[in-house]
Amino acid sequence: MKIGILPFSVFITLLISYQSMAQYGGYGGGYGGYGGGYGRNSAMNQLPQTPKKPPTSDQIAEEQTKWMNKKLKLTEDQAISIEMANLDHALQLSDYQEAFMKTHANIRPTPQEIQQIRTTVDKWQADKDAKFQTILTPEQWEIYQKKKKGMPHTTQ
């Protein structure tokens, strides 16, 4: 039985194609089509993400002070006073959050409790801003008022 060169080469090409599809993911040409393949970005190929730790009070105060120093061009004395005010505020919030989480470990806060938290935090922010106003020049205070919504770790 004699087979012509053309039918034989078509048969070999189909055989190689079939083997390639099986090796690299089946239907879809092996590039992430049906059945897998290589070059595919699947969850199984990725390392598990570890949750990011929340910043400490010191880190929050430092970031806020750096932001203010960049935006307001603080003097050295101002930077020290601002950092102390930021640290006091961050510690106050951290302590409050920790105490709240202990008392509400397994229960959701009520809408009244959420409103009370907002009121308390807003009052503390107003107290911090009052300290800032005594530390900053009038020009710096005006710039701070305009840009404080962009300050890191704020709820404004």
Side-chain angles (χ1 to χ4, degrees), residues 24-139:
Y24 292 113
Y27 181 81
Y31 291 99
Y34 178 79
Y38 66 89
R40 197 170 166 185
N41 192 7
S42 70
M44 290 180 13
N45 294 335
Q46 296 177 1
L47 295 174
Q49 296 287 328
T50 55
K52 209 174 186 183
K53 291 183 181 178
T56 65
S57 299
D58 291 337
Q59 291 169 331
I60 290 171
E62 185 178 330
E63 284 182 45
Q64 289 179 341
T65 305
K66 281 182 184 177
W67 180 89
M68 291 181 75
N69 199 18
K70 181 179 177 184
K71 302 288 182 190
L72 307 175
K73 300 182 182 11
L74 303 173
T75 66
E76 194 172 319
D77 289 339
Q78 284 177 319
I80 292 169
S81 298
I82 292 289
E83 186 161 20
M84 291 305 294
N86 282 331
L87 183 58
D88 287 345
H89 182 71
L91 288 169
Q92 191 176 31
L93 287 175
S94 178
D95 291 345
Y96 186 66
Q97 180 183 15
E98 190 177 313
F100 187 83
M101 295 303 281
K102 282 183 182 176
T103 60
H104 289 76
N106 297 321
I107 54 174
R108 293 186 103 157
T110 65
Q112 294 81 11
E113 288 173 320
I114 293 172
Q115 185 56 45
Q116 182 183 1
I117 292 167
R118 285 189 181 126
T119 302
T120 302
V121 171
D122 288 346
K123 181 190 177 312
W124 290 344
Q125 181 64 46
D127 292 346
K128 182 172 95 165
D129 283 350
K131 285 181 191 174
F132 286 171
Q133 193 168 14
T134 64
I135 297 167
L136 301 173
T137 66
E139 295 81 18

